Amino acid sequence: MVQILAPTEHNIADLARALRAGELVAFPTETVYGLGADATNESAIKKVYSVKGRPSINPLIAHYTSLEEAEKDVIFNDVARALAQAFWPGPMTLVLPRQPYCRIHAAATAGLATVAVRVPAHDIARKFLQAAGVPVVAPSANPSGHLSPVRAEHIARHLGGKISWILQGEQATQGLESTIIDATGALPRILRYGTLTQEMIEEVVKLADAHTTSELPQAPGMLLKHYAPRCPLRLTTDNPQPGEALLAFGAQNIPTGFDLVMNLSTTGDLHEASRNLFDFLHQLEERGVTGIAVMPVPDVGAGKALNDKLRRAAAGSVQ
Ligand code: TXA
Ligand code: MG
């Protein structure tokens, strides 16, 4: 049976010890909750894949307390360093080449020559990583193909029978997974959109142009069906169906005829909408609505990440 533990110093030390002993520990970050394992321990990594039902070709992100720690495992070029200095700790993941003596076990990286690395900003995550003293691989703490968790209860509900420990935090403040940037080449490319926006990144470095980006292979996991809620989601608000909920955005032109309305942000704030998206989808799923219709969200800034998640959720529900 899973236990949700308060983030006291004592509990953090205990859970760090459990992690070093090869157990899995779910912990909060500012993006979504992660399912942590000692990145140097092959059997712990294999448990992550089996608990999530995750294909072994989909590599994990390694988490650190600092750029200096990450540098022990991957090679930073000047551009990657500039990004790390600008946005870490924070909701950004960099894909970089392995160091010759990289500590991350190959089982966590699908045998790739690169590792995705991140330094989260969340206070509890940082204390936990510090206490762990090893790099921690952590995918989002959800069954593969389901919504990412933004509250401890989401993990207890969907993985509760399969893991023993959850470190308790508040609701995730960002609410969407980190922005992933491939920084192996001369010009970095965004592989996955998050709340750290293209505009913010371009204030620091020049990116490969959007056209090239869209033609490139995405992060391996992006090929898979993702973020599907267990009820159909439509990206149009025409013809409300019985039992269907409306996911609204903004204060204007809210369509009528829906049984239930949840507004991602009445003020049209894309960051507020990002923070609410997965939480609202979890709630609607719990309430057993028969479907979800979604109002359009502007495709700028954090809206790009939001729309990406919505498209995937809609595609996932076709079958
Ligand atoms: O916000 C986040 O990033 C959360 C928190 C817990 O840190 N983690 C997360 O992990 O979203 P996950 O496993 O759900 O998504 C990781 C993504 C996958 O799409 C994977 O394919 C990609 O990162 N990835 C990992 N290593 C990669 C690599 N070496 N090259 C390209 N993509 C990689
Ligand atoms: Mg995930």
Side-chain angles (χ1 to χ4, degrees):
M1 196 40 207
V2 69
Q3 290 199 53
I4 303 182
L5 298 187
T8 60
E9 222 169 282
H10 178 85
N11 287 341
I12 289 175
D14 272 358
L15 292 185
R17 216 170 297 122
L19 181 117
R20 280 198 305 275
E23 294 193 41
L24 306 188
V25 178
F27 64 97
T29 85
E30 73 277 28
T31 56
V32 300
Y33 276 71
L35 180 60
D38 175 351
T40 67
N41 180 332
E42 181 177 13
S43 72
I45 293 165
K46 288 194 164 151
K47 267 189 243 167
V48 170
Y49 281 89
S50 99
V51 159
K52 278 185 59 92
R54 180 175 175 113
S56 59
I57 53 145
N58 192 1
L60 306 177
I61 298 174
H63 296 70
Y64 299 88
T65 49
S66 65
L67 166 61
E68 291 67 36
E69 277 298 310
E71 281 193 287
K72 294 180 180 170
D73 294 325
V74 288
I75 302 165
F76 284 75
N77 56 27
D78 289 348
V79 169
R81 196 175 303 280
L83 285 167
Q85 279 161 356
F87 300 118
W88 276 350
M92 176 185 73
T93 295
L94 295 175
V95 172
L96 291 169
R98 292 175 80 92
Q99 287 280 16
Y101 298 104
C102 179
R103 295 168 294 175
I104 311 302
H105 196 282
T109 57
L112 294 173
T114 54
V115 184
V117 295
R118 164 157 125 83
V119 176
H122 195 280
D123 183 48
I124 299 167
R126 293 177 64 74
K127 286 184 178 147
F128 178 59
L129 293 171
Q130 188 72 46
V134 289
V136 173
V137 280
S140 50
N142 52 287
S144 191
H146 194 240
L147 292 166
S148 292
V150 291
R151 296 175 186 270
E153 305 88 88
H154 298 156
I155 312 173
R157 197 177 299 140
H158 296 286
L159 288 182
K162 295 186 168 170
I163 61 171
S164 304
W165 311 112
I166 303 173
L167 187 53
Q168 169 94 60
E170 302 289 316
Q171 180 178 348
T173 54
Q174 299 290 317
L176 299 180
E177 299 89 342
S178 60
T179 303
I180 304 182
I181 305 172
D182 176 347
T184 53
L187 291 182
R189 299 167 205 286
I190 297 177
L191 297 181
R192 178 175 76 181
Y193 287 99
T195 52
L196 178 72
T197 65
Q198 182 172 338
E199 293 81 351
M200 291 158 82
I201 297 165
E202 280 175 333
E203 281 180 21
V204 177
V205 298
K206 184 171 158 41
L207 287 170
D209 68 55
H211 177 65
T212 339
T213 303
S214 65
E215 282 183 354
L216 277 158
Q218 298 286 291
M222 305 289 286
L223 301 171
L224 307 167
K225 204 169 70 156
H226 253 179
Y227 313 115
R230 292 189 177 142
C231 40
L233 186 139
R234 331 185 265 130
L235 301 184
T236 158
T237 56
D238 298 340
N239 306 320
Q241 306 293 312
E244 201 177 34
L246 174 70
L247 209 47
F249 178 81
Q252 317 236 297
N253 308 324
I254 309 291
T256 52
F258 290 92
D259 283 11
L260 174 68
V261 178
M262 291 188 88
N263 200 321
L264 290 168
S265 170
T266 50
T267 58
D269 177 321
L270 289 167
H271 278 279
E272 184 186 13
S274 301
R275 184 163 57 246
N276 284 333
L277 179 68
F278 288 159
D279 190 47
F280 284 9
L281 291 176
H282 276 285
Q283 284 187 44
L284 291 172
E285 200 180 84
E286 274 306 289
R287 292 174 78 140
V289 300
T290 57
I292 303 168
V294 190
M295 276 177 73
V297 174
D299 204 34
V300 292
K304 281 201 180 131
L306 258 168
N307 280 317
D308 182 58
K309 310 297 166 194
L310 287 170
R311 273 192 299 272
R312 284 163 191 280
S317 64
V318 167
Q319 306 167 1

